Amino acid sequence: MMTTGKAKQLTIYLGETDQLHHRALYMAIIEWLREKKIAGATATRGIAGFGASSHLHTANILRLSMDMPITITVVDAPATIDSIIEPLGAMAPHAMFTVHEVDVVRPAVGVAKTSSDKG
């Protein structure tokens, strides 16, 4: 595996019905990230999950929920990820955030190669 650079992955955990200014919070975040020219972000709807409240969210046919778990995964240069955590925290004060260092195998726009990388 040829690694082309170091990056950070930010994952934001929230609910589908969470809102910001009367619109879906996950879409507000995705659009904000796009405006900031972040290298990449994906919102994913879960099929089951629970958070700090222990309220179970499930797509079970007997209990069809419109408040499914949503994760937003963001990958970019470490400094960029570090710079967006505080404003995202203000947008989503009840969301949980995790950050992981990752190796980018195939770079996207905005994720720079490190000087030690060859290829």
Side-chain angles (χ1 to χ4, degrees), residues 11-15 26 30 42-46 68-73:
T11 305
I12 306 167
Y13 301 85
L14 44 101
Y26 70 92
I30 290 288
T42 302
T44 306
R45 184 176 193 243
M68 300 305 296
I70 299 281
T71 57
I72 300 173
T73 305

Side-chain angles (χ1 to χ4, degrees), residues 3-83:
T3 301
T4 60
K6 298 290 183 185
K8 282 189 177 179
Q9 175 181 308
L10 167 66
T11 305
I12 306 167
Y13 301 85
L14 44 101
E16 188 173 17
T17 61
D18 293 347
Q19 294 198 349
L20 179 68
H21 305 301
H22 306 291
R23 55 191 294 230
L25 177 58
Y26 70 92
M27 281 306 301
I29 290 172
I30 290 288
E31 290 169 4
W32 184 84
L33 292 167
R34 187 167 178 250
E35 289 170 10
K36 297 295 180 190
K37 302 196 183 324
I38 298 302
T42 302
T44 306
R45 184 176 193 243
I47 58 171
F50 66 91
S53 70
S54 294
H55 176 74
L56 184 63
H57 303 269
T58 178
N60 182 320
I61 195 71
L62 299 175
R63 188 179 148 193
L64 194 57
S65 174
M66 293 304 294
D67 188 20
M68 300 305 296
I70 299 281
T71 57
I72 300 173
T73 305
V74 186
V75 176
D76 209 315
T80 301
I81 294 296
D82 292 344
S83 74

Side-chain angles (χ1 to χ4, degrees), residues 68-103:
M68 300 305 296
I70 299 281
T71 57
I72 300 173
T73 305
V74 186
V75 176
D76 209 315
T80 301
I81 294 296
D82 292 344
S83 74
I84 64 172
I85 291 174
E86 189 173 327
L88 286 171
M91 291 174 74
H94 301 291
M96 183 176 71
F97 293 61
T98 60
V99 177
H100 304 278
E101 292 182 5
V102 295
D103 294 321

